[in-house]
Amino acid sequence: MGLLHEIQQAVVEPGHDLGPILLKLRLLAAKLGSKPLEEWVTHESEGYPPDSQVPPYREVGVSYTGLFIGLGGYLQNAQIPGHLVEEYAGSQWTRYVLRDGVSVIDDLVRSATEHGRSPQIDASNLMLLLNGKVYEGCTCNGVRGTISAAALVSVQNAVRSRVLELTIELERAIPGAADVAVGSPETKTSDPQRVTQISQQIVYGDVMSISS
C-alpha cells in the first residue's frame, strides 16, 4: 500500500492520533517535491512560529468571566459580554490564534474530556482594560479567559478534513502520487507546483499563500 492510501485509511478510522498521520503526509510531500506542503505539515506537527501565517481554522473563540468588587459585595465568576471585551480591548481578545502543534491540542482535548479542565489564556492585561467598564460601581479584580473543548475538537476535525481532502485531490491530479511508498525515490511524474496549488487552496483558500 502506498503512503497516500495509508494516510487516507488512518485519517478516517477513529482512534488514530494526528501526529503519525502528519509524519506520513510530510514524507509524501517531500517525495512529491512540495516544500510549502512540507512546511504546513511541519507547522501542524510542531506548532506555528510567531511570525508565520496561521490558517483560519486555528482561530478560536474565547469567553471571559471575572471577579468584580464593589457596592458592598462582590461578583465571582461573572460573565463578561464579548461585545464589551471587543469595545474596550479589541476583537483580538475574543478570537485566539492557536499556534500549538496537534499533539498539544490532543492533550488539551483529553484533559478537558477526562477532567473537565478547559484551557485558559493569560488575561491579566485585560483586567486593566475592563476595570470600571463592565459593572457600574464595581472594580475588576480578576479576569479568566476560557477556550471551549468543542473549539479544540473543531481544530482537530479541520486538520483531519484537510488531510483527507489533500490526499483525495493529489490522487486525482498527480499521476503516480498513489504509488509513492516509504523507501521509494521522489516521483518523476510529480508536478510540485500543482501540489502546492492544491495545498494552498485546501488549507488556506484561494487568495492566501501557504508559505510562511
Side-chain angles (χ1 to χ4, degrees):
M1 182 186 295
L3 273 171
L4 191 147
H5 289 154
E6 288 182 18
I7 295 167
Q8 289 176 341
Q9 182 176 334
V11 81
V12 299
E13 290 181 356
H16 281 276
D17 286 340
L18 279 168
I21 295 172
L22 289 175
L23 284 176
K24 290 183 178 181
L25 181 58
R26 183 176 178 180
L27 179 58
L28 178 63
K31 290 184 177 295
L32 294 177
S34 176
K35 279 289 184 182
L37 178 54
E38 279 190 79
E39 289 176 4
W40 173 70
V41 177
T42 300
H43 291 335
E44 285 295 332
S45 299
E46 302 175 5
Y48 287 80
D51 60 343
S52 64
Q53 182 180 333
V54 179
Y57 59 82
R58 277 180 161 266
E59 190 175 291
V60 297
V62 185
S63 61
Y64 292 94
T65 56
L67 171 63
F68 299 88
I69 299 177
L71 304 177
Y74 66 90
L75 295 172
Q76 191 169 10
N77 294 325
Q79 194 71 34
I80 303 175
H83 76 274
L84 288 181
V85 175
E86 293 186 357
E87 179 180 354
Y88 295 113
S91 59
Q92 71 273 14
W93 282 95
T94 57
R95 303 299 299 176
Y96 183 77
V97 177
L98 196 64
R99 293 182 174 272
D100 299 294
V102 292
S103 60
V104 175
I105 296 174
D106 289 344
D107 287 341
L108 290 173
V109 170
R110 275 192 288 267
S111 179
T113 303
E114 296 172 4
H115 308 291
R117 299 172 185 167
S118 295
Q120 298 178 2
I121 68 169
D122 181 8
S124 54
N125 290 334
L126 188 59
M127 180 178 66
L128 301 176
L129 297 173
L130 295 179
N131 194 27
K133 299 182 176 69
V134 180
Y135 295 99
E136 186 176 355
C138 293
T139 301
C140 180
N141 279 49
V143 177
R144 181 170 59 193
T146 303
I147 298 172
S148 71
L152 298 177
V153 172
S154 177
V155 174
Q156 288 178 318
N157 291 338
V159 176
R160 286 184 179 275
S161 174
R162 280 156 178 78
V163 170
L164 180 59
E165 190 174 354
L166 268 169
T167 56
I168 291 172
E169 289 302 317
L170 290 175
E171 186 174 12
R172 289 173 179 168
I174 307 299
D179 299 324
V180 177
V182 176
S184 65
E186 182 176 315
T187 176
K188 302 302 181 183
T189 57
S190 175
D191 181 352
Q193 185 175 358
R194 180 64 178 139
V195 175
T196 296
Q197 288 173 346
I198 292 171
S199 305
Q200 175 181 326
Q201 184 173 5
I202 292 173
V203 175
Y204 290 92
D206 293 329
V207 298
M208 302 182 75
S209 170
I210 194 172
S211 298
S212 60

